[in-house]
C-alpha cells in the first residue's frame, strides 16, 4: 500500500479523504485490514489523535469498521453511513481542545462574577450529575447542564452560546462513534471527581483554581480517550 505523507497542518477531513481515495482506488479491498494505528499515523505523517478523528469519520460513513481488540478493516459494500451526516461536524479532539480553552475561562469567570443564585444552580446541577451517574454510565444531559450552568454564571451570553454550540458537537455523530468504544463505567469515578474539583473552586471564589480544575478535566478527558482508542486499534 503506497501512502503519501499528509501535512501536519491539515485537519482530519483531509486525512480521511486520502484514506477514502485509497479505498476507492481498490488499493484496500473490502474486508482488508489496514495497518495498525501507530503505523498508519507514521506513514501518513500525522498525529494519532488526528488520525483517530479521520478513522471515526470514515466509520460513520460506513467505509471502515474499527473493531475493538482486533484492528481497522475496510467495510464491505452496503454500509448505511453517509458523508453528509458529518459534513459540519468537528472532530472529538478538536472539541476537547476548544472546550479546554473556553470552558476553562468560563469556570474562572463564574468563580469571580457568579451570583449566589447562579452558584446554587451550579451546585444543584452537580448534585443532579452525581445522582444520574448512579443510574446511567454516561449521563450526558446532567453533564451538559452542569457545564451550561457554569457558562451562565459568567454573565456573558455569548460565552453561554459558544458552550452550548460545543455541546451540540459533543453529542454529534463523530463523538458518539468514538464513545461507543470507550469503557465509560471505569471512567465515571474519575470524571465525577474532576467535576467536584471544578465545583469546589467556583464555590470558593477562586478563579485561577477553577480555571485549572476545568482544564485538568479536559486534559484528563483527552487522555482517557487517547488511551482507550489506542488500546482498541493499536
Amino acid at each position: 500500500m503506497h501512502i503519501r505523507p499528509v501535512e501536519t497542518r491539515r485537519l482530519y477531513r483531509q486525512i480521511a479523504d486520502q484514506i477514502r481515495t485509497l479505498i476507492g482506488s481498490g488499493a484496500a479491498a473490502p474486508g482488508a485490514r489496514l495497518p495498525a494505528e501507530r503505523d498508519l499515523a507514521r506513514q501518513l505523517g500525522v498525529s494519532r489523535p488526528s488520525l483517530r478523528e479521520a478513522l471515526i469519520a470514515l466509520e460513520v460513513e460506513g467505509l471502515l469498521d474499527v473493531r475493538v481488540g482486533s484492528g481497522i478493516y475496510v467495510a464491505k459494500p452496503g454500509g448505511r453511513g453517509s458523508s453528509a451526516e458529518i459534513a459540519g461536524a468537528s472532530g472529538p479532539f478538536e472539541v476537547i481542545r476548544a472546550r479546554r480553552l473556553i470552558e476553562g475561562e468560563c469556570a474562572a469567570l463564574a468563580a469571580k462574577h457568579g451570583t449566589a443564585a447562579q452558584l446554587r444552580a451550579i451546585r444543584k446541577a452537580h448534585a443532579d450529575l452525581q445522582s444520574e451517574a448512579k443510574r446511567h454510565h454516561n449521563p450526558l444531559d446532567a453533564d451538559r447542564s452542569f457545564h451550561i450552568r457554569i457558562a451562565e454564571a459568567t454573565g456573558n451570553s455569548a460565552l453561554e452560546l459558544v458552550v452550548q454550540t460545543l455541546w451540540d458537537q459533543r453529542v454529534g455523530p463523530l463523538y458518539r462513534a468514538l464513545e461507543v468504544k470507550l469503557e465509560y463505567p471505569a471512567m465515571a469515578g474519575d470524571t465525577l471527581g474532576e467535576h467536584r474539583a471544578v465545583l469546589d473552586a467556583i464555590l470558593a471564589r477562586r478563579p485561577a483554581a477553577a480555571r485549572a480544575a476545568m482544564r485538568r478535566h479536559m486534559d484528563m478527558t483527552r487522555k482517557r480517550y487517547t488511551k482507550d482508542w489506542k488500546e482498541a486499534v493499536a
Side-chain angles (χ1 to χ4, degrees), residues 31-47:
R33 188 179 190 275
L34 296 184
E37 185 194 22
R38 66 173 66 89
D39 297 328
L40 194 54
R42 187 183 308 116
Q43 292 178 52
L44 289 166
V46 299
S47 69

Side-chain angles (χ1 to χ4, degrees), residues 18 25 40 89 93 101 108 118 131 137 151 155 170 212:
Q18 184 170 336
S25 70
L40 194 54
F93 293 98
L101 290 172
Q118 288 170 332
S131 177
H137 70 277
R170 167 70 178 78

Side-chain angles (χ1 to χ4, degrees), residues 162-197:
V162 171
V163 173
Q164 290 173 346
T165 300
L166 287 172
W167 268 86
D168 289 340
Q169 295 293 317
R170 167 70 178 78
V171 296
L174 295 182
Y175 222 113
R176 291 200 311 269
L178 175 60
E179 286 186 337
V180 297
K181 303 182 187 306
L182 303 177
E183 294 296 329
Y184 261 95
M187 297 163 58
D190 292 336
T191 60
L192 288 177
E194 291 157 19
H195 284 95
R196 182 73 207 193

Side-chain angles (χ1 to χ4, degrees), residues 118-139:
Q118 288 170 332
L119 296 194
R120 286 196 298 271
I122 295 172
R123 187 199 295 271
K124 181 182 184 304
H126 181 264
D128 292 343
L129 174 59
Q130 288 185 305
S131 177
E132 185 62 23
K134 295 178 181 179
R135 296 190 294 269
H136 193 283
H137 70 277
N138 188 14

